[in-house]
Structures are given as C-alpha cells and as structure tokens.
Amino acid sequence: MAYGNPRTVGRDCRSWFGRDLRSVHGAADAAPAKETQQMPLRVQILMYDGVEEQDFIGPRDVLGHAERAGGQVHTTLVRPSAPGTVTCFFGTEVTVPTVWEPTDTDLLIVPGGGDQLIHDPDVLRNLVRAQQAGVTVAGVCTGVMVLSAAGLTRGRPCTTHHLAKVELAAQGGKVIDARVVDDGNLVTAGGVTSGIDLALWMITRECGASLATGVESLMEYEQRGVVWRSS
C-alpha cells in the first residue's frame, strides 16, 4: 500500500511541529494556565561523557516542543568546565556549546548514565551552590545518585531507577515509589523514559497544563504514573 512521497510526509511533519499549539487544539485550550509566568523558564541540561542518550534527549525533546509551541522556555545543553564534545553511553557524540554556569538558570536537569560526575568534587559543590542560589535541581534515573553524592537528597523525598533505590535509601534519601517526585527545589524521576514525564511535569508546574497537554499531543505521548508532590 502506498502512503505517499516520504519527502512530502517529512516536510508535513516539520510543518506541524512548527505550528502554534492553538492551531492544533483551539485558542481556548492553548491559553496559558499559569498567568504569573513573565520571564522565560531557563533550563540547563548537564552533559558529560557517559550520559545515557534517552535520559537527556527525552527532556530536551519535551522542552524543545514547548518552546517551539510558544511557551516561555529556553533550554541549554551545558558541560562542566568548558564547552566541548561528550560521548554518550551508547557512543553518540554530542557537541555541547556552553559551559555550565551553576547559578545562571531556573531549572537544572542532571541525566543519568556513567558515574563520572559522582567522583567530581567541583560538580558536587556546584550542585549545592546552584540549589542554594534558588535553582530547582532535577535528576533523571541515576542522575539522582549524583544529587545524592552532593547531599541534596539526604532526608528528602526522592526517587531513581528501580535498580538504584536501595542505594539511594542507604545514602539517606526518603525513597518514594512514584515515577516523578516533586519536593519543591528538588525534583527526581525514575529510570530512563521517566525523564519525559519529569519534563512534562515541570512544564505543567511552571508554564501551565495547557502547554503540557499540547506537547503531549504533539509527541503522541501520555504522561505515565503518578507525580508525588510534597504539600
């Protein structure tokens, strides 16, 4: 069965991805639910050798679609020490053009992968400095173990990949059996694909549910599991 020219199909998809979500869902649905947001939500994703591809690209995709749809979101891939190329867990090479400035963001996402960052004292100190400066620090999968090594999860509700939950609890985290755990300036997610849910939740929390549901529709993805939120 013929489905049409693939070049035309690809062009049509790019055309749809570039549209304002109001043209897809209607003007009323696309109205921002969070009227108080005035400045763009600045997001950094911390990149390093050994980072797991899905851990960073899932959130990046969500945030990119939110920005393309007109949301007040600006996302930057950052690297400790200096710009450069990182080699991901499965060998993908990614050029990271920006050095990490720990306090120059609203939300920092630390994806999982290798254990390089856990053994980097400068990174651990800068994670603490970022949170003390008012940055919301988020971890995806074993990226949460980096936050644990910095002392950020001690005594606080959190989650991580199911294979690391015992270790996270042993290091003082109050492990919650939820896909995303929101404890204010500390937001953590379970394994790998949970990063998509974390990013959608942060869009909901900071920009409004209308934008988040529009991104869900565009990505043909529905948020999974429960967001546990401290009262």
Side-chain angles (χ1 to χ4, degrees), residues 4-156:
N5 188 323
R7 293 182 181 176
T8 303
V9 172
R11 184 169 62 248
D12 288 347
C13 285
R14 288 192 296 272
S15 168
W16 272 95
F17 283 177
R19 291 186 184 185
D20 189 316
L21 289 179
R22 287 174 297 183
S23 66
V24 181
H25 301 285
D29 288 343
K34 187 166 183 175
E35 300 292 344
T36 56
Q37 186 190 350
Q38 307 249 335
M39 301 294 290
L41 175 67
R42 301 169 301 159
V43 185
Q44 295 174 342
I45 300 178
L46 189 60
M47 300 290 289
Y48 56 96
D49 287 328
V51 64
E52 211 277 359
E53 281 87 340
Q54 179 62 43
D55 279 21
F56 83 86
I57 204 63
R60 181 67 188 94
D61 208 35
V62 170
L63 296 163
H65 281 304
E67 183 175 5
R68 180 70 63 89
Q72 293 295 301
V73 183
H74 179 69
T75 307
T76 307
L77 300 182
V78 297
R79 183 173 178 267
S81 302
T85 299
V86 301
T87 302
C88 302
F89 190 79
F90 294 108
T92 307
E93 293 188 345
V94 178
T95 299
V96 182
T98 306
V99 66
W100 180 31
E101 295 290 346
T103 62
D104 190 26
T105 191
D106 303 303
L107 170 64
L108 171 69
I109 298 175
V110 181
D115 62 357
Q116 175 184 339
L117 297 186
I118 290 176
H119 304 294
D120 188 328
D122 288 336
V123 166
L124 302 183
R125 280 192 294 269
N126 280 327
L127 287 170
V128 174
R129 185 160 70 94
Q131 193 177 71
Q132 289 176 341
V135 175
T136 296
V137 179
V140 176
C141 194
T142 55
V144 179
M145 301 310 296
V146 181
L147 309 188
S148 180
L152 299 185
T153 62
R154 191 172 298 118
R156 300 190 64 175

